Amino acid sequence: MTAALPPLRQIPISEAARLTPPKLRIKTDDDVACWRDTRGYHDYGLFLRRLNESVVGYFLPYSSPSMTQATTSILSMLDKLDSWINEIPPLPTPQRFGNLAFRTWGKKLEDNVDSLLTSLLPSEFAASIPLISPYLVTSFGSFTRMDYGTGHETSFALFLLCLTLIRFFEPLPEQERDLVLVVFLRYLRLCWRLQDVYRLEPAGSHGVWGLDDYSFLSYIFGSAQLRESDISVTTILRRPLPPTNLYFLSISRIHEVKTGPFHEHSSQLYNIATGVPRWAKVNSGLFKMYEAGTLGRSPGQTSRSPTYSFGRPYGMGHYFFRSDET
C-alpha cells in the first residue's frame, strides 16, 4: 500500500525560484553513477513506486471520484497538444520513418511551452516554469532525430514528479491514481498518435531484445493493476485482450503496429508471459529491469540483454536541486 511508503518531499516555490534550469548532464557511465547518488534519483524512484502502489486493484475504464482542477487542467493541455496534430498534417514525403512535419509540431511546442505552463499553473507557481519546461518539451520525442523512446516517456514522468514536488499535485493515493489512470493514459494515447501520424522511429530500439520499442512505464503500472488479480500472466497470449489495464493496452498496441508471430517480435514479453507465474513477480521484475535498462545506462551504452538502454531521458540527473546537492 502507498501508506507504507515514505512521503514525497515538498520543494517550496521560494526555494525553486533560486534554482537554475536543468541541463543535459547524463552522458557517460560516470555521470550515471553520480546521478544514482542524488536526491533527485531517489525522489523519482519513490514517486514511481507510489504511483505503482496507487493503482493496485484498479482497472480501466477508470472514473475518478474526485478529479482535481489540476488533473482537469493537464488533460486540457494534452488535448491542446493533440489538436496541433490536426493543424500540422504530415508532409507528403516518401520517408519510411520521421515525417518532417514532426519538427514543425515540436517547434510549436518549444515556442509555446511557457504559455502552456502559464495556463496550466496558478500564478503562485510561475517561478517553477523555467525549471519544468525542459521536461515537457522532451516528453514527446526528439524533434531532431524524429524518434521516441522510453527516455522521452521518463521525461514526462519527471515532469509529473516536478509538479508533485511543488504540490501542484498532492502526493495522495487518489491523486496519484489519477496521474496514472487518467493523465498518463491520456499522454500515452497522444504519443501513440504522434508515432502513427509522423511515423516516429523507435529511439534506441534493439528489436527483439527490448521489452517494447517505445514504452516501459505502461507495463509497470499495468502489472501493478493486475498484481492482486487471479488473471493468468499467460492471458496476454490470447487475443483480443480486454482494455482493462495498461499492460493489456500496450500489448494490443504492439499487435496494431507489428506483424508476425508474437514470440518473434516481442520475445521479452513472451518470455515473461510463459516464464513468470504471478503478476506480483512481473511487477517487481519490471521495476528492476527499468532501473537497470533505462535509468542505469549511459546514452551510448548498448548490450544484447534485458538490461540495455531503451532510450535516454533529457536531464534526468539534475532537476530542482542545487549543483552541490547529492
Side-chain angles (χ1 to χ4, degrees):
M1 297 294 293
T2 304
L5 292 170
L8 191 69
R9 67 167 168 152
Q10 180 176 0
I11 297 180
I13 292 297
S14 58
E15 179 181 338
R18 297 193 298 267
L19 303 179
T20 57
K23 297 179 181 180
L24 182 62
R25 292 175 180 265
I26 303 176
K27 300 178 181 179
T28 68
D29 292 346
D30 288 340
D31 296 335
V32 172
C34 290
W35 177 53
R36 297 185 77 158
D37 289 332
T38 65
R39 182 68 181 272
Y41 182 91
H42 295 290
D43 283 342
Y44 184 54
L46 174 59
F47 181 64
L48 289 186
R49 292 189 180 279
R50 290 184 63 91
L51 295 184
N52 186 74
E53 294 303 312
S54 75
V55 299
V56 174
Y58 289 85
F59 295 92
L60 302 173
Y62 176 73
S63 179
S64 174
S66 55
M67 187 178 295
T68 65
Q69 181 59 47
T71 299
T72 302
S73 296
I74 199 169
L75 290 176
S76 296
M77 184 190 73
L78 293 171
D79 287 344
K80 186 170 187 176
L81 295 178
D82 198 313
S83 71
W84 290 356
I85 301 176
N86 299 329
E87 299 171 11
I88 306 171
L91 297 174
T93 52
Q95 293 177 294
R96 183 185 176 197
F97 286 112
N99 191 281
L100 291 172
F102 183 56
R103 291 179 177 168
T104 305
W105 189 94
K107 183 65 165 56
K108 185 165 185 175
L109 175 57
E110 292 171 346
D111 292 344
N112 289 275
V113 65
D114 287 349
S115 62
L116 286 170
L117 292 175
T118 299
S119 299
L120 173 69
L121 298 172
S123 58
E124 61 265 29
F125 294 102
S128 69
I129 290 176
L131 302 171
I132 62 178
S133 59
Y135 295 108
L136 182 61
V137 168
T138 54
S139 291
F140 304 97
S142 168
F143 309 132
T144 301
R145 299 187 305 272
M146 294 186 291
D147 62 13
Y148 176 92
T150 56
H152 305 107
E153 178 188 59
T154 296
S155 287
F156 186 73
L158 285 165
F159 173 68
L160 297 180
L161 167 60
C162 291
L163 292 176
T164 306
L165 289 174
I166 62 174
R167 296 303 188 262
F168 178 67
F169 295 113
E170 293 291 336
L172 302 171
E174 297 80 8
Q175 291 194 36
E176 290 166 336
R177 193 173 303 124
D178 283 353
L179 286 182
V180 177
L181 302 183
V182 180
V183 175
F184 181 78
L185 177 60
R186 181 66 185 90
Y187 162 78
L188 195 64
R189 293 192 183 282
L190 170 56
C191 289
W192 287 347
R193 190 172 180 222
L194 287 168
Q195 291 158 25
D196 290 344
V197 171
Y198 298 124
R199 304 187 65 81
L200 302 186
E201 190 171 6
S205 173
H206 288 245
V208 298
W209 297 101
L211 186 74
D212 185 291
D213 281 344
Y214 296 101
S215 299
F216 204 117
L217 292 178
S218 57
Y219 295 96
I220 290 179
F221 298 144
S223 60
Q225 291 179 267
L226 292 160
R227 203 171 72 191
E228 295 179 354
S229 76
D230 57 2
I231 299 172
S232 171
V233 180
T234 60
T235 298
I236 71 146
L237 302 178
R238 297 189 288 273
R239 299 169 62 187
L241 290 171
T244 54
N245 60 82
L246 288 165
Y247 202 102
F248 287 2
L249 282 178
S250 297
I251 297 292
S252 296
R253 168 67 179 173
I254 288 176
H255 287 301
E256 290 177 3
V257 299
K258 289 190 175 184
T259 59
F262 184 74
H263 70 274
E264 291 184 0
H265 60 63
S266 301
S267 61
Q268 293 284 7
L269 290 165
Y270 179 83
N271 290 338
I272 290 171
T274 57
V276 183
R278 299 182 307 279
W279 285 110
K281 193 165 184 64
V282 174
N283 188 231
S284 62
L286 287 176
F287 256 110
K288 294 175 184 176
M289 191 175 179
Y290 181 73
E291 289 168 352
T294 297
L295 305 184
R297 290 184 180 263
S298 59
Q301 187 178 7
T302 59
S303 171
R304 285 181 171 256
S305 74
T307 57
Y308 68 86
S309 173
F310 297 100
R312 297 308 307 162
Y314 174 92
M316 292 192 307
H318 182 75
Y319 72 100
F320 277 24
F321 52 82
R322 298 174 298 279
S323 60
D324 59 348
E325 181 178 351
T326 58

